Amino acid sequence: MAADFLYLYADAMDKFSINTEADYAAALREVEAYFRQEPDPESPDAARFDALAAAIEAYEALFWQGETIQEMRDAP
């Protein structure tokens, strides 16, 4: 079962990347739904959630380095 989940996760990652602010905004909107309704573990939705979370984290690491939440709030 774990191997199936890893395959689903890899498949979800292959089909999703964040390259623009629009992609980032879309990913945030999509991942929000998973916080309202948690997916079943080892399901395709759980794999998609993990892929989205990883892509969001990677994008933020590249473009939001060193900024605190307060700095983001204070930005024009």
Side-chain angles (χ1 to χ4, degrees):
M1 190 102 172
D4 291 337
F5 180 73
L6 290 175
Y7 173 76
L8 290 170
Y9 178 77
D11 190 43
M13 284 297 290
D14 285 343
K15 294 179 180 156
F16 192 84
S17 64
I18 298 175
N19 300 305
T20 66
E21 281 291 317
D23 293 343
Y24 177 66
L28 290 176
R29 283 190 302 275
E30 186 176 345
V31 82
E32 180 182 4
Y34 293 115
F35 284 103
R36 288 187 302 242
Q37 173 94 31
E38 188 174 325
D40 293 328
E42 299 187 22
S43 69
D45 284 339
R48 180 66 176 177
F49 172 80
D50 288 343
L52 285 165
I56 290 167
E57 184 177 353
Y59 185 83
E60 289 174 347
L62 286 172
F63 296 103
W64 299 61
Q65 291 178 347
E67 288 184 306
T68 65
I69 290 176
Q70 189 60 49
E71 289 171 332
M72 288 185 267
R73 287 183 182 147
D74 293 342

